[in-house]
Amino acid sequence: MIRPFTYQALPMRVVFGVGSLATLSDEVEALGLTRVLVLCSPEQEVTGKQVAAALGVRAAGVLAEARMHVPIEVARRARELAAELGADGCVAVGGGSAIGLGKAIALEHELPVIAVPTTYAGSEMTPVWGLTEGGQKRTGRDVRVLPRTVLYDAELTLTLPAEMSVASGLNAVAHAVEGLYAPDATPIISLMAEEGARALAAALPRVVADGGDLDARAEAQYGAWLCGAVLAATTMSLHHKLCHTLGGTLDLPHAQTHTVVLPHALAYNQPAAPEAVAALSRALGGVPDPARELWDLAGRLDAPRSLRELGMQEGDIPRIAELAVANPYANPRPVTRDGVEPLLRAAWAGDAPTPLRR
Ligand code: NAD
């Protein structure tokens, strides 16, 4: 039986296609923008400058200072520069860091953001912003930060190294996994989650085999779009809570932490989420235990499988477990200290996730 649900669509435009960067200028014009500030991280300055050159007089400048988790100093500088240049919008080119910087400007100045994602993290689809000050990350939801237009051009992902492609792709799959058992799951979002997980699981081995395979890159990006939409529409649970705690407290790398934790968080929740297990089983090719399959997939793709290799000390496990259970939040299975600590121990050591018993 279909359970009752409430579904609210988000107001945004998505342009998808290899070579679609050529239409960016039209998209800027369609929003009535005349002077946009291009944002990117220092590592992608060349790409940022190319985008600005393609925009011609519609580009007011380039700020290549985006960093993970949007440090407040960077956000302030970006806001000041946008005001100084008289920018009437931003084009954020890059992963969640560049897009997060665009959101930080929108939060204060309400400048429209056009996102051109080059990873699979999914931030471009969400109204969620984050800002880090004094080592503390604050996040919030505000529809003013939701990008007005998202332009997906797989050509821009060709340079994403295999290791980052896999970690970022599995970060996206984590949105789908938690969307499937979210308290506010809806039928349309569950369809997107299943298809997003399927597309990424199919595409990532092809991306690793040949990073220049544009077809595989486009399929991965299609999956990332769907998973990003799932992230925007549902409440995330244990997995995201653990990753935010690990990232925020120990400064572990974002996408890689998701990659390591996902099989364990899913294994924890599988007994209490049979519909999610069924959907993921279909998405991953009819496997009996999706958590185990995600762990095997990470192994086949040479992705990190232990928190130890990401730099976490074993002695940090009790503190992280404590923090993760501190504030109650939605999860299909009760989140207890006794449950979370063994989960973290297995993830730290790189052990296989707890097998699913039916
Ligand atoms: P990122 O944006 O930090 O990028 C990682 C590195 O990869 C950067 O050096 C970047 O320049 C480089 N890079 C990106 N695309 C590339 C490409 N195509 N070729 C070569 N190099 C490339 O990483 P991320 O995982 O996309 O984003 C992580 C951040 O996004 C975190 O701060 C996370 O909290 C945030 N995030 C926010 C949301 C949200 O909804 N607000 C969702 C997901 C992630």
Side-chain angles (χ1 to χ4, degrees), residues 41 43-44 68-69 95-97 103 118-119 121 123 126 128 137 156-157 159-160 164 231 254:
S41 65
E43 298 81 5
Q44 286 178 288
M68 191 96 96
H69 306 311
S97 298
K103 289 176 170 181
T118 64
T119 70
S123 176
T126 84
V128 178
K137 184 167 177 178
L156 290 169
T157 62
T159 47
L160 193 65
M164 184 60 194
L231 175 67
H254 177 83

Side-chain angles (χ1 to χ4, degrees), residues 144-170:
R144 287 176 307 163
V145 310
L146 183 74
R148 300 280 184 85
T149 304
V150 181
L151 197 145
Y152 287 103
D153 183 344
E155 275 183 4
L156 290 169
T157 62
L158 291 174
T159 47
L160 193 65
E163 184 271 333
M164 184 60 194
S165 300
V166 170
S168 187
L170 292 173

Side-chain angles (χ1 to χ4, degrees), residues 95-96 103 119-126 128 141 152 167-186 189-198 200 220-241 243-244 254-259 261-263 265-266 276 280 294:
K103 289 176 170 181
T119 70
Y120 307 131
S123 176
E124 67 279 0
M125 292 304 295
T126 84
V128 178
R141 282 181 92 90
Y152 287 103
S168 187
L170 292 173
N171 178 187
V173 172
H175 310 328
V177 165
E178 296 232 293
L180 283 165
Y181 53 60
D184 43 8
T186 56
I189 293 299
S190 296
L191 287 171
M192 289 175 151
E194 184 174 332
E195 173 66 356
R198 184 210 60 74
L200 277 157
Q221 203 175 37
Y222 159 69
W225 164 54
L226 292 171
C227 293
V230 173
L231 175 67
T234 51
T235 306
M236 296 287 114
S237 301
L238 175 64
H239 169 77
H240 282 74
K241 172 76 179 185
C243 292
H244 291 162
H254 177 83
Q256 290 80 353
T257 304
H258 275 271
T259 301
V261 173
L262 181 61
L266 175 58
L280 289 167
L294 287 174

